[in-house]
Amino acid sequence: MALLEREEPLASLAACGDEARLGQGRLVLVAGEAGVGKSALVERFTAGLTGTRCYLGACDGLFTPRPLGAFLDIAGQLGGEPAELAGRFDASAAREELFALLLGELGAPGGLRAVVVEDIHWADEATLDLLRFLARRIGSLPVLLVATYRDDELTASYPLRTALGDLAVQRCTRRVDLAPLSAAAVAALSAGSGLDAAELYRVTGGNAFYVTETLRTGLDQVPRSAVDAVLARVAGLGPGARDVLHAAALIGSVVEPWLLEQAADCPPSTVDELVDRGLLTADGAVLRFRHEIARRAVAQEIPAHRQPAIHARLLAALLAAGSTDHARLAFHAEAAGDDPATLEHATLAGRHAAELGSHQEAAAQFERALRVAHGEPSAVLADRYYALASELSVIDSWDAAAAAYERALSLWRAAGDPLREGDVLCRLSSTFWRLCRGREASNASEAAVRVLEPLGPSAELARAYASVAADLARQARFAETMALARRAETLAASLGAFGVQANTLNLQAWAGVGLGEDWEPPLHQALDITLSHGMAYEAGHIYTNLHEINCAEHRYAASEPHYLAGVAHCEEHDLGVYLTCLHGVRTSTLDRLGRWDEAVALAKVGLAMTVSSPVNRMIPQGTLGRILTRRGAAGAWPYLDQAMAAADGTGDPEYVVPMRLSRAEAHWLAGDLAAAHRDAVLAGLAADGTYPWLRGEAAVWIRRTGRSPIPAGEIAAPYRMELDGDWRGAAKAHDDLGCPYDAALVLLSSGEEEALRQALDVCQDLGAVATARLVRRTMRRLGIRSIPVGQRAATRRDPAGLTRREREVLALICAGRTDAEIAAELFISAKTASHHVSAVLGKLGVSNRRAAADQA
């Protein structure tokens, strides 16, 4: 059938292919609803390629997928070392080896390579990791990577939504969106069919698959759905052929002829009949349904009482053939009602997925195993729940993790194993903290120590000491934290418990911040330990803290490389919990740096995740609440209330103080000074004895909103200057840090006309409507005349939303100036210049100065 209204997408693919031939590799994301014609488009495009080696892989949506299944198929087509590795790929084969081999083979001399990966909406995390891996590296290779997915079935849940966001920002990425056919196109396709074109369009909605199926069956024979269109054709089959088709539908999107013949006990001629009728299509050595909708339609027709027998035959055939695809075997075993086989293969599939970093799949397989793990000893069941909880914690699904850990705890107590009981109490402590259940977290860590100390030295005891030390740090008892963390480190190091040792070094860093000591060496030592011992999860934790402590100390330029390295690490290893945490802290950093549009966009992405711990949602909630408040927009308070509730649940001043001050600012901007002062005082109480930056910010808000005494203790320099009346020094200090809004608040307190006008300029550039309104009221009260009204017209007109200052910076970027030269020319600090450059690149959606200059 002709491809109508696809000239533009085909031209886009062709352009990407031409660029890839020149060594500018491209990743093309082809999106559209089920049946819109993504596969047909890609097939037409690849069929027209000359001098190109094409490889095809597809993700399967029938069962919990085999990790990297699509790319293992592609590796087999490549031949050589990739094919050899694919043939023996299991838990013993490192996925990094496959990644490197695929990249090397695709980038080898010999012209353009085109790789098509279909249906990534069913991809496992390891496959998505490999897509990210390739997207970051093919930019200088003659490689065209095409990935198709259904955007009508795409939810906000992790992992594909996150992966698409990550892939979209790669320079090599292009996107092709396929829309349904127009009424005119449907009329053209139906010309000569005798069908009413308007009715055909109404029934199908322009979906190419629906149109095709209905044209073959006729409007008078089918209801208004593709399912009925498929089943109308199935009805013409004899009983034997229908049984074979049923078996094919339960095999999956890709059907191996040998498996179909064995499972259905049929001759090849019956399979040929299905191909002749168009129900199955030949694709090299395998068969496929013409569309997944067709497969589902057939599967739904199979009587429920007959399905277990078909799955049992499929399981037997796969086992007889020596299959080691445990994910596939587990699916068929469970559907067949074979509990022992389900238990065996789901367990193996879960372990394999975990070793490959596909933690979503691992959790799904461990849950499958637990559904059939009847009558096992308490200790064995406890291990199963513990393994499940560990995977759930990695993917940031902490409610479910808590339930699994609690079940493991009761089972180990029943089994009389105090060592494992103490260990799971430690895990529960960190889990409760992630759920903002601070008091329960403290109780669990203290209970772990009570259980483990009588047993003598152990890695579990070292972990329990670290857990108690973490609780002490949250109470700002930094000297006690340091002492206990060092005790735990000594014990962990003596036992070779490197992961625990790294965690104790992390705690020493936080205590060092509170004690005014050099906190960086412990963290870098911890990172070296985790990376050298292949501890991906623990390394993700350290990267997160390197970023977070630098941000807490307002060292934003220093935080940047740790953020980027941490994100790359977490993406590579499917560490959803720390990836979400990094992005959350990043939103507050972008807020401080005045990059509010980026902060809002990133916060919304984080909050769109359906699986995210309350502690990881809290920071983007606070960021959104603050920015919406400053912009005078509706909807700020629900975010502020949710963030405050979560912060109070942790009991951690690091979170309580910023969230309490966010509320104080919101009340202040609304003119409710009493409520603002009340929240500021509560923030001051929470900040007492903590970090100088927290104490300082709380102190200036107490002064800004009322006249209560300022909490004693060391206060960070910019805030101390403001409290001492040196508003010029304080504003410059904030500006040197690259924090324009903080500087504007200081200028607002000055009472001088020039400073107030500068504050108004900053607020208008940022779009801080509510704050600008307060500045104008102050200016009018002081009798200042000629007060500007509204956002700068130049900013409103700028197509990229650049402020006046950012346009000046962009002009200097185009002139080839460095950050230092920009700073000198504009009379600003080098850090501020660097932040302005980053903001310009972000608003233009580019990754470097040259691209910004080209776009300018």
Side-chain angles (χ1 to χ4, degrees):
M1 178 169 288
L3 288 183
L4 298 182
E5 299 182 333
R6 297 299 184 243
E7 294 83 1
E8 185 175 339
L10 283 170
S12 297
L13 285 169
C16 291
D18 291 340
E19 291 166 347
R21 286 185 194 278
L22 297 176
Q24 300 174 27
R26 293 288 179 260
L27 165 63
V28 184
L29 299 173
V30 180
E33 67 182 30
V36 79
K38 300 181 295 295
S39 297
L41 176 81
V42 173
E43 288 171 10
R44 175 64 59 85
F45 168 67
T46 55
L49 289 173
T50 58
T52 303
R53 301 181 188 180
C54 297
Y55 308 95
L56 173 66
C59 304
D60 199 313
L62 179 58
F63 49 84
T64 303
R66 176 180 54 151
L68 296 171
F71 280 106
L72 291 177
D73 292 340
I74 290 167
Q77 298 165 35
L78 284 167
E81 285 189 83
E84 181 185 348
L85 180 59
R88 57 179 173 83
F89 197 71
D90 55 24
S92 65
R95 69 177 194 168
E96 287 76 14
E97 183 181 356
L98 178 64
F99 286 18
L101 281 174
L102 283 173
L103 180 64
E105 185 65 28
L106 292 174
L112 177 66
R113 264 80 164 183
V115 178
V116 177
V117 183
E118 294 212 62
D119 299 328
I120 63 169
H121 47 273
W122 289 320
D124 63 286
E125 283 99 326
T127 295
L128 295 176
D129 286 345
L130 184 45
L131 279 173
R132 292 188 183 101
F133 176 89
L134 294 173
R136 290 197 293 267
R137 292 164 174 82
I138 63 173
S140 59
L141 299 176
V143 176
L144 178 64
L145 179 56
V146 180
T148 71
Y149 68 93
R150 295 180 185 175
D151 55 5
D152 60 329
E153 295 184 6
L154 189 60
T155 67
S157 62
Y158 183 87
L160 181 55
R161 176 68 71 181
T162 302
L164 289 174
D166 298 335
L167 294 171
V169 299
Q170 299 298 325
R171 292 187 62 195
C172 71
T173 301
R174 302 293 183 268
R175 182 183 172 100
V176 172
D177 292 297
L178 291 189
L181 301 174
S182 67
V186 173
L189 287 174
S190 62
S193 68
L195 299 182
D196 182 276
E199 179 67 3
L200 178 61
Y201 180 75
R202 189 185 69 80
V203 168
T204 64
N207 181 286
F209 172 72
Y210 291 4
V211 171
T212 302
E213 292 303 307
T214 308
L215 282 173
R216 286 179 174 159
T217 57
L219 281 169
D220 58 335
Q221 300 178 37
V222 290
R224 297 165 187 173
S225 71
V227 171
D228 292 332
V230 172
L231 296 184
R233 292 164 58 212
V234 172
L237 295 175
R242 185 176 298 191
D243 289 344
V244 176
L245 187 63
H246 288 173
L250 296 185
I251 289 175
S253 300
V254 178
V255 180
E256 301 94 328
W258 68 265
L259 178 59
L260 182 57
E261 291 167 15
Q262 288 191 29
D265 190 21
C266 68
S269 59
T270 306
V271 178
D272 293 340
E273 179 185 354
L274 300 177
V275 173
D276 291 341
R277 286 179 172 269
L279 291 163
L280 296 176
T281 59
D283 184 3
V286 299
L287 303 172
R288 297 178 184 273
F289 279 83
R290 296 186 60 259
H291 194 281
E292 172 63 14
I293 294 175
R295 187 200 66 77
R296 291 183 181 181
V298 174
Q300 290 170 8
E301 188 200 24
I302 307 170
H305 67 275
R306 294 191 56 207
Q307 292 189 25
I310 300 173
H311 282 291
R313 292 197 297 271
L314 289 169
L315 175 64
L318 288 167
L319 289 173
S323 174
T324 58
D325 187 347
H326 296 292
R328 190 179 194 184
L329 294 170
F331 166 75
H332 289 301
E334 184 177 34
D338 188 337
D339 289 356
T342 303
L343 187 62
E344 175 188 356
H345 296 294
T347 301
L348 292 171
R351 291 173 183 169
H352 186 201
E355 288 161 356
L356 289 175
S358 290
H359 299 291
Q360 289 272 2
E361 278 64 41
Q365 294 293 359
F366 288 148
E367 286 173 338
R368 170 177 277 155
L370 280 165
R371 287 197 291 269
V372 297
H374 309 302
E376 289 191 310
S378 295
V380 175
L381 272 177
D383 266 323
R384 292 192 183 280
Y385 279 105
Y386 186 90
L388 171 61
S390 299
E391 296 303 309
L392 290 168
S393 65
V394 174
I395 61 176
D396 209 15
S397 183
W398 292 96
D399 280 316
Y405 276 134
E406 288 176 320
R407 183 73 178 118
L409 177 63
S410 65
L411 287 165
W412 268 316
R413 282 173 173 163
D417 190 335
L419 185 67
R420 301 305 299 273
E421 176 188 345
D423 181 47
V424 80
L425 280 166
C426 283
R427 309 290 182 175
L428 266 173
S429 176
S430 61
T431 302
F432 287 146
W433 182 81
R434 286 279 173 187
L435 292 170
C436 300
R437 294 158 61 179
R439 175 43 49 197
E440 291 172 85
S442 300
N443 292 341
S445 59
E446 292 166 2
V449 171
R450 287 196 301 271
V451 170
L452 291 168
E453 274 190 329
L455 305 179
S458 66
E460 289 79 6
L461 179 58
R463 182 178 289 109
Y465 285 150
S467 185
V468 172
D471 188 51
L472 293 171
R474 291 190 282 271
Q475 300 173 49
R477 295 160 63 180
F478 298 123
E480 295 171 78
T481 301
M482 185 69 80
L484 188 55
R486 285 174 173 164
R487 179 182 177 187
E489 182 201 357
T490 300
L491 178 57
S494 70
L495 297 170
F498 300 112
V500 180
Q501 183 185 5
N503 188 35
T504 63
L505 290 165
N506 170 67
L507 290 166
Q508 289 174 49
W510 279 108
V513 175
L515 295 171
E517 299 178 4
D518 188 0
W519 53 266
E520 286 192 279
L523 277 183
H524 287 291
Q525 182 186 352
L527 186 62
D528 289 341
I529 289 171
T530 55
L531 292 178
S532 62
H533 289 87
M535 297 178 171
Y537 183 78
E538 290 81 359
H541 187 195
I542 304 305
Y543 276 122
T544 300
N545 281 283
L546 277 166
H547 175 236
E548 190 166 7
I549 295 181
N550 272 293
C551 292
E553 291 290 281
H554 291 226
R555 297 173 47 175
Y556 299 115
S559 76
E560 187 86 3
H562 299 305
Y563 169 74
L564 296 174
V567 167
H569 176 84
C570 292
E571 287 177 346
E572 196 80 15
H573 297 281
D574 187 26
L575 303 177
V577 58
Y578 293 126
L579 181 63
T580 308
C581 186
L582 282 163
H583 287 327
V585 175
R586 177 69 167 176
T587 68
S588 61
T589 299
L590 293 171
D591 170 14
R592 289 281 190 186
L593 299 179
R595 294 160 61 178
W596 289 0
D597 289 340
E598 296 172 72
V600 167
L602 187 58
K604 287 181 176 178
V605 169
L607 294 178
M609 302 294 181
T610 56
V611 177
S612 183
S613 56
V615 77
N616 275 348
R617 295 176 64 83
M618 169 182 56
I619 298 178
Q621 284 169 340
T623 298
L624 273 176
R626 283 191 300 275
I627 294 175
L628 288 173
T629 297
R630 294 165 184 170
R631 287 179 164 173
W637 274 105
Y639 290 121
L640 294 175
D641 288 341
Q642 292 167 34
M644 191 70 254
D648 281 339
T650 69
D652 192 333
E654 181 192 355
Y655 303 118
V656 171
V657 174
M659 300 311 160
R660 188 63 68 182
L661 292 180
S662 297
R663 293 170 57 87
E665 183 181 356
H667 287 305
W668 179 66
L669 289 173
D672 189 345
L673 285 180
H677 190 61
R678 186 164 53 249
D679 272 318
V681 170
L682 289 172
L685 293 172
D688 187 32
T690 60
Y691 309 111
W693 284 98
L694 288 181
R695 286 201 298 270
E697 189 165 19
V700 298
W701 275 104
I702 291 172
R703 176 70 57 81
R704 196 170 280 155
T705 57
R707 291 296 169 186
S708 294
I710 302 303
E714 184 184 350
I715 288 177
Y719 300 122
R720 172 53 62 196
M721 286 187 277
E722 182 176 358
L723 292 170
D724 291 344
D726 181 9
W727 61 265
R728 288 184 179 85
K732 183 179 183 303
H734 284 302
D735 191 58
D736 287 345
L737 291 169
C739 303
Y741 185 75
D742 290 297
L745 292 180
V746 175
L747 294 171
L748 171 58
S749 69
S750 68
E752 296 196 7
E753 180 174 351
E754 180 183 354
L756 287 166
R757 291 190 182 278
Q758 291 178 25
L760 186 57
D761 282 349
V762 171
C763 291
Q764 291 184 150
D765 282 346
L766 292 172
V769 174
T771 317
R773 190 181 302 124
L774 182 59
V775 177
R776 291 191 192 94
R777 283 203 301 269
T778 303
M779 295 173 77
R780 284 193 291 270
R781 189 178 69 248
L782 295 173
I784 297 172
R785 299 179 181 275
S786 301
I787 301 171
V789 178
Q791 187 186 39
R792 291 170 179 266
T795 300
R796 290 198 305 268
R797 289 193 304 267
D798 192 279
L802 298 180
T803 66
R804 172 187 54 79
R805 175 65 84 190
E806 288 166 351
R807 287 195 302 278
E808 293 173 346
V809 170
L810 179 57
L812 293 171
I813 290 173
C814 293
R817 301 289 198 274
T818 65
D819 285 1
E821 291 168 339
I822 292 173
E825 192 147 345
L826 298 180
F827 301 102
I828 58 178
S829 70
K831 283 185 179 179
T832 299
S834 176
H835 292 313
H836 281 315
V837 170
S838 296
V840 169
L841 298 183
K843 288 185 177 181
L844 293 179
V846 297
S847 59
N848 57 58
R849 293 167 182 263
R850 180 175 178 179
D854 289 344
Q855 194 166 132

